[in-house]
Amino acid sequence: MSIAIYPGSFDPVTNGHLDIIKRSSKMFDKLVIGVLSNNAKTPLFSVKERVNMLEEVTKSLSNVEIQMFEGLTVDFARNVGATVMVRGLRAISDFDYELQIAQTNHILLPGTDTVFLATSLEYAFLSSTTVKEVAYYGADISKFVPASVEEKIMSKFQDLKNKSTAKERVTDEQ
Ligand code: ADP
């Protein structure tokens, strides 16, 4: 049975990720999406929220499962029995970094290979960071993420804005 992992932050999953997920899930018997929980940056969504969003948007894909992981991607690959790691390439700017990681991973776990999928043209510009920035300033992100993710982003920003408003009120009262 061929098992591949697709590791990433997915903060949150975008239509670009989903495109890679759909295409790569056809190439392997099983695709395990690995959601990295030990990011250097503080993510907008907790790892549990990111896993839940991915579960929602991949529920029609029967050979796709979602797991969170910490630490090295090669250890995650070993744990799930994967021999392939899938990564998406958007632009030449992704290439240097991805090549370095792929070569390192190949040395760390010689039985595995990284497979790169070129992004579909319509998603070449798309990143989780862009989506968050656009959403933060109130613009429409419906072309960039699935509807269920759009709702989660909007309510997350609403929560955060409410919290800071609440904080300001407390400060004002003191
Ligand atoms: P990471 O923090 O590991 O880069 P991301 O969630 O940003 O995690 O991305 C996970 C993978 O998906 C990476 O291989 C990235 O290049 C790829 N990816 C992200 N956005 C797109 C997109 N729009 N089209 C194709 N691949 C993408």
Side-chain angles (χ1 to χ4, degrees):
M1 171 153 150
S2 60
I3 303 176
I5 58 164
Y6 178 33
S9 313
F10 305 103
D11 184 39
V13 57
T14 68
N15 288 340
H17 293 128
L18 204 49
D19 173 57
I20 299 286
I21 293 167
K22 284 180 183 158
R23 287 159 58 203
S24 58
S25 68
K26 292 187 194 135
M27 299 164 66
F28 307 99
D29 295 323
K30 184 164 140 187
L31 179 72
V32 184
I33 302 173
V35 184
L36 187 61
S37 85
N38 58 344
N39 276 10
K41 307 168 274 182
T42 310
L44 178 63
F45 291 100
S46 71
V47 67
K48 189 139 200 306
E49 288 172 318
R50 286 179 273 147
V51 166
N52 289 345
M53 282 185 274
L54 275 158
E55 276 171 352
E56 173 68 28
V57 300
T58 60
K59 62 184 178 204
S60 62
L61 304 168
S62 59
N63 66 337
V64 173
E65 67 175 60
I66 325 293
Q67 286 187 28
M68 59 145 279
F69 76 102
E70 283 176 301
L72 292 176
T73 306
V74 284
D75 290 333
F76 177 61
R78 193 187 287 114
N79 289 342
V80 302
T83 51
V84 172
M85 300 182 235
V86 173
R87 294 288 286 175
L89 282 181
R90 279 163 293 189
I92 195 77
S93 50
D94 282 340
F95 186 78
D96 262 357
Y97 171 75
E98 292 291 345
L99 188 66
Q100 216 175 24
I101 300 287
Q103 286 167 338
T104 307
N105 285 343
H106 190 67
I107 291 170
L108 292 176
L109 193 60
T112 56
D113 267 303
T114 301
V115 167
F116 293 110
L117 266 71
T119 179
S120 296
L121 260 185
E122 65 262 47
Y123 305 124
F125 64 93
L126 195 52
S127 71
S128 299
T129 306
T130 312
V131 168
K132 286 182 280 192
E133 275 173 12
V134 170
Y136 182 78
Y137 291 106
D140 179 17
I141 52 164
S142 59
K143 290 196 176 77
F144 306 150
V145 293
S148 59
V149 175
E150 183 185 358
E151 277 169 31
K152 292 282 186 324
I153 297 176
M154 292 313 182
S155 70
K156 174 68 80 178
F157 280 132
Q158 201 53 55
D159 277 3
L160 294 176
K161 281 175 187 166
N162 286 344
K163 272 185 198 144
S164 72
T165 310
K167 200 173 171 198
E168 277 165 30
R169 279 203 205 118
V170 172
T171 316
D172 284 345
E173 281 166 13
Q174 282 170 346

